[in-house]
Amino acid sequence: VRHPLYLGESFVFAGAALVLGPWGAVAAAVLVPLLAWRITVEERLLAAEPGWAEWAARVRWRLVPFVW
Protein backbone atom coordinates (compact mmCIF):
# COMPACT_ATOMS: atom_id res chain seq x y z
CA VAL A 1 0.00 0.00 0.00
CA ARG A 2 1.10 3.57 -0.55
CA HIS A 3 0.34 4.69 2.99
CA PRO A 4 1.31 1.95 5.47
CA LEU A 5 1.33 4.32 8.45
CA TYR A 6 -2.25 5.37 7.70
CA LEU A 7 -3.20 1.71 7.41
CA GLY A 8 -1.76 1.15 10.87
CA GLU A 9 -3.63 4.19 12.13
CA SER A 10 -6.89 2.75 10.84
CA PHE A 11 -6.15 -0.45 12.79
CA VAL A 12 -5.69 1.68 15.91
CA PHE A 13 -9.09 3.28 15.24
CA ALA A 14 -10.67 -0.16 14.89
CA GLY A 15 -9.04 -1.35 18.11
CA ALA A 16 -10.21 1.74 19.96
CA ALA A 17 -13.72 1.12 18.67
CA LEU A 18 -13.62 -2.39 20.13
CA VAL A 19 -12.28 -1.22 23.47
CA LEU A 20 -14.42 1.89 23.87
CA GLY A 21 -17.67 0.39 22.67
CA PRO A 22 -20.30 2.51 20.96
CA TRP A 23 -18.49 5.82 21.47
CA GLY A 24 -15.33 4.36 20.03
CA ALA A 25 -17.26 3.10 17.04
CA VAL A 26 -18.69 6.57 16.49
CA ALA A 27 -15.22 8.08 16.72
CA ALA A 28 -13.83 5.52 14.24
CA ALA A 29 -16.75 6.15 11.88
CA VAL A 30 -15.80 9.84 11.87
CA LEU A 31 -12.02 9.44 11.78
CA VAL A 32 -11.65 6.86 9.01
CA PRO A 33 -13.35 9.04 6.35
CA LEU A 34 -11.22 11.97 7.52
CA LEU A 35 -8.16 9.78 7.06
CA ALA A 36 -9.28 8.94 3.52
CA TRP A 37 -9.76 12.66 2.82
CA ARG A 38 -6.26 13.37 4.17
CA ILE A 39 -4.77 10.72 1.88
CA THR A 40 -6.54 12.27 -1.13
CA VAL A 41 -5.25 15.76 -0.30
CA GLU A 42 -1.74 14.46 0.36
CA GLU A 43 -1.63 12.60 -2.94
CA ARG A 44 -2.68 15.74 -4.82
CA LEU A 45 0.31 17.53 -3.31
CA LEU A 46 2.65 14.62 -4.00
CA ALA A 47 1.57 14.48 -7.65
CA ALA A 48 3.81 17.50 -8.30
CA GLU A 49 6.89 15.63 -7.05
CA PRO A 50 9.19 13.99 -9.61
CA GLY A 51 8.79 10.23 -9.73
CA TRP A 52 5.48 10.17 -7.86
CA ALA A 53 3.38 9.20 -10.89
CA GLU A 54 5.62 6.24 -11.69
CA TRP A 55 5.67 5.06 -8.09
CA ALA A 56 1.91 5.50 -7.69
CA ALA A 57 1.35 3.47 -10.86
CA ARG A 58 3.58 0.70 -9.48
CA VAL A 59 1.99 0.73 -6.00
CA ARG A 60 -1.65 0.72 -6.97
CA TRP A 61 -3.49 0.48 -3.64
CA ARG A 62 -3.61 3.51 -1.36
CA LEU A 63 -4.85 2.10 1.92
CA VAL A 64 -6.64 -1.24 1.58
CA PRO A 65 -5.17 -3.81 -0.84
CA PHE A 66 -7.56 -4.78 -3.66
CA VAL A 67 -10.10 -2.14 -2.51
CA TRP A 68 -8.64 1.41 -2.53
Side-chain angles (χ1 to χ4, degrees), residues 20 28 40 52 57:
L20 299 174
T40 305
W52 171 258

Side-chain angles (χ1 to χ4, degrees), residues 24-68:
V26 169
V30 170
L31 292 173
V32 169
L34 287 174
L35 184 67
W37 173 77
R38 181 179 176 179
I39 289 170
T40 305
V41 170
E42 186 176 305
E43 287 196 347
R44 271 190 241 139
L45 292 172
L46 289 170
E49 296 295 320
W52 171 258
E54 294 82 17
W55 186 78
R58 205 171 62 240
V59 181
R60 183 174 177 189
W61 308 108
R62 290 181 177 121
L63 189 62
V64 180
F66 307 104
V67 177
W68 184 67

